[in-house]
C-alpha cells in the first residue's frame, strides 16, 4: 500500500465499505446474493493472478501448513458471513441488519482479549460505545420493522468476520497484505463453491443477469470490496489493535446513510445528525488512542 499509514488505510476502508449496501440495493433482482459473493470472489482472485505469477506465490497459496488458516480467512471473512448477510435481507430490513452489525464490535472486544490478548483501555471502550450508540440512533430514526428470522441470521454470523481477522493477524509477518487479500478471495470462492452447489439443490438461487446493474454489482464487489477495501483493512489491522480498528470501521453504516441521502433514498433529520456526531466523536476518540499508541 503506497504511502499510507495504518490509520489512513483504515479510514479509506471505512468509506469504501460504506458503499456496498447501496450497490447491493441497486443490483437487487439482477444478481442473487449467492452470485454476488461467489462471482465477486472469483473475479477478484482472477485479478490477482498476475501477482501470484510474478511473485511465485502459488506454492504458498496451497501450502499444507497454512491451508486451514487460509480456509478460515476466506470462508469466515467473505464466504459465509456475506452470504448470510445477503440472505438475511430477504427477511429483515437493511436498517435492522446494519444495527445488528454493530454487535461485531462486542464480538471483537471479547475475541481479541481471548485470542490476541488485547486489553482495551477506557477511552477505547467509551469510543466504541459512542460509535455503536450513534449508528443505532441514525438508523432507528429512520424507522424499523422487527423481522426476527433475518435478525437472528445477522446476529449469528457477524462473529465470523472477527475469527477471520484474528487468523489473518496470526499469519507470518513476511506475507504481504496483497497476498492475504488474494488468499481471502481465493479461499472464499473455493470453500463456498461446493457449499452453494449442494445448496442449489435445496432451492438457493445462483444467478446473474447479463445487465449493467447485475454485472456492475459483481464488478464493484470484486474490485472495491474484495480487493481495495480488504487491502486497506489488512494494512490497518496488521499494524494496530483489532478491537480498535473494528470500533472505527463500525461507523460505516453512518456513511452508508449519508450516501443514501445523497442519492435520494433517505432524508437527513435532526436525530440523524445527532447520531452521526456521536458516531464520529466515538471514532475520533478511538482514532486518537490508536495514534498515541503508534507514537509510543
Amino acid at each position: 500500500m503506497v504511502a499510507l499509514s495504518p490509520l489512513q488505510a483504515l479510514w479509506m476502508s471505512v468509506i469504501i465499505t460504506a458503499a456496498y449496501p447501496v450497490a447491493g440495493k441497486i443490483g437487487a433482482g439482477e444478481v442473487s446474493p449467492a452470485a454476488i459473493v461467489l462471482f465477486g470472489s472469483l473475479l477478484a482472485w482472477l485479478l490477482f493472478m498476475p501477482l501470484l505469477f510474478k511473485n511465485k506465490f502459488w506454492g504458498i497459496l496451497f501450502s499444507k501448513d497454512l491451508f486451514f488458516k487460509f480456509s478460515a480467512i476466506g470462508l469466515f471473512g467473505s464466504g459465509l458471513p456475506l452470504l448470510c448477510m445477503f440472505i438475511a435481507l430477504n427477511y429483515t430490513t437493511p436498517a435492522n441488519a446494519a444495527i445488528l452489525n454493530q454487535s461485531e464490535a462486542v464480538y471483537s472486544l471479547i475475541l481479541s482479549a481471548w485470542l490476541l490478548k488485547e486489553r482495551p483501555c477506557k477511552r477505547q471502550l467509551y469510543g466504541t460505545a459512542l460509535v455503536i450508540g450513534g449508528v443505532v440512533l441514525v438508523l432507528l430514526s429512520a424507522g424499523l420493522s422487527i423481522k426476527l428470522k433475518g435478525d437472528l441470521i445477522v446476529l449469528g454470523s457477524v462473529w465470523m468476520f472477527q475469527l477471520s481477522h484474528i487468523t489473518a493477524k496470526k499469519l507470518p509477518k513476511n506475507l504481504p497484505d496483497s497476498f492475504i487479500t488474494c488468499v481471502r478471495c481465493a479461499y472464499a470462492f473455493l470453500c463456498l463453491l461446493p457449499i452453494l452447489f449442494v445448496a442449489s439443490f435445496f432451492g438457493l438461487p445462483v444467478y446473474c443477469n447479463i445487465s449493467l446493474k447485475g454485472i456492475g454489482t459483481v464488478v464493484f464487489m470484486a474490485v472495491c470490496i474484495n480487493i481495495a477495501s480488504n487491502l486497506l483493512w489488512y494494512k490497518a489491522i496488521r499494524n494496530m489493535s483489532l478491537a480498535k480498528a473494528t470500533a472505527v470501521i463500525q461507523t460505516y453504516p453512518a456513511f452508508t446513510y449519508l450516501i443514501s441521502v445523497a442519492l435520494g433514498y433517505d432524508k437527513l433529520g435532526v436525530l440523524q445528525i445527532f447520531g452521526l456526531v456521536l458516531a464520529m466523536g466515538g471514532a475520533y476518540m478511538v482514532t486518537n488512542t490508536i495514534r498515541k499508541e503508534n507514537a509510543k
Side-chain angles (χ1 to χ4, degrees):
M1 196 62 58
V2 179
L4 285 178
S5 71
L7 265 177
Q8 290 171 331
L10 176 59
W11 277 104
M12 287 183 67
S13 181
V14 171
I15 300 301
I16 296 173
T17 301
Y20 95 84
V22 178
K25 180 176 178 63
I26 293 173
E30 297 293 322
V31 55
S32 70
I36 293 176
V37 181
L38 186 68
F39 298 146
S41 299
L42 175 60
L43 178 57
W45 184 19
L46 293 175
L47 293 173
F48 271 114
M49 290 295 182
L51 172 72
L52 293 174
F53 283 110
K54 180 180 178 180
N55 296 299
K56 299 179 181 179
F57 279 146
W58 282 103
I60 303 176
L61 182 64
F62 297 108
S63 167
K64 293 181 180 179
D65 296 335
L66 296 172
F67 174 78
F68 289 107
K69 287 186 177 180
F70 287 170
S71 297
I73 290 171
L75 187 61
F76 296 125
S78 292
L80 285 181
L82 287 179
L83 179 62
C84 289
M85 291 294 172
F86 286 122
I87 291 176
L89 290 173
N90 291 322
Y91 304 103
T92 189
T93 63
N96 271 32
I99 287 175
L100 294 170
N101 259 284
Q102 305 314 302
S103 63
E104 187 182 346
V106 179
Y107 283 123
S108 181
L109 286 171
I110 295 171
L111 292 176
S112 296
W114 176 32
L115 299 175
L116 296 176
K117 309 304 178 185
E118 294 180 358
R119 294 294 179 263
C121 63
K122 289 183 179 180
R123 285 179 62 85
Q124 178 186 344
L125 292 174
Y126 294 152
T128 302
L130 285 175
V131 168
I132 296 175
V135 171
V136 168
L137 185 60
V138 168
L139 298 171
L140 279 175
S141 61
L144 298 175
S145 59
I146 302 300
K147 296 186 174 72
L148 185 60
K149 186 175 182 179
D151 293 348
L152 290 177
I153 292 174
V154 175
L155 278 175
S157 60
V158 291
W159 63 269
M160 298 181 194
F161 290 119
Q162 288 303 306
L163 184 59
S164 171
H165 303 333
I166 288 170
T167 305
K169 283 180 72 71
K170 291 189 173 185
L171 288 177
K173 294 293 185 182
N174 63 320
L175 295 179
D177 301 327
S178 55
F179 176 69
I180 298 174
T181 305
C182 174
V183 163
R184 181 166 170 173
C185 301
Y187 277 83
F189 173 76
L190 293 173
C191 293
L192 203 58
L193 185 62
I195 295 174
L196 293 181
F197 178 77
V198 174
S200 65
F201 288 100
F202 294 92
L204 183 68
V206 183
Y207 67 86
C208 179
N209 294 336
I210 306 302
S211 65
L212 181 60
K213 287 183 178 180
I215 295 175
T217 300
V218 172
V219 171
F220 176 84
M221 193 70 186
V223 176
C224 296
I225 302 302
N226 289 339
I227 295 179
S229 181
N230 287 342
L231 269 173
L232 294 162
W233 175 247
Y234 288 126
K235 168 73 174 180
I237 67 168
R238 298 184 84 205
N239 294 282
M240 67 174 66
S241 160
L242 176 59
K244 292 184 179 67
T246 300
V248 173
I249 205 165
Q250 286 308 306
T251 61
Y252 86 85
F255 287 103
T256 299
Y257 197 86
L258 288 177
I259 295 172
S260 185
V261 169
L263 293 177
Y265 293 127
D266 286 290
K267 295 181 180 180
L268 195 61
V270 176
L271 284 178
Q272 291 94 327
I273 294 174
F274 183 60
L276 287 169
V277 171
L278 281 182
M280 294 304 104
Y284 179 75
M285 187 179 295
V286 177
T287 299
N288 268 348
T289 303
I290 297 171
R291 187 179 291 115
K292 289 177 181 177
E293 287 183 354
N294 289 346
K296 291 179 182 179

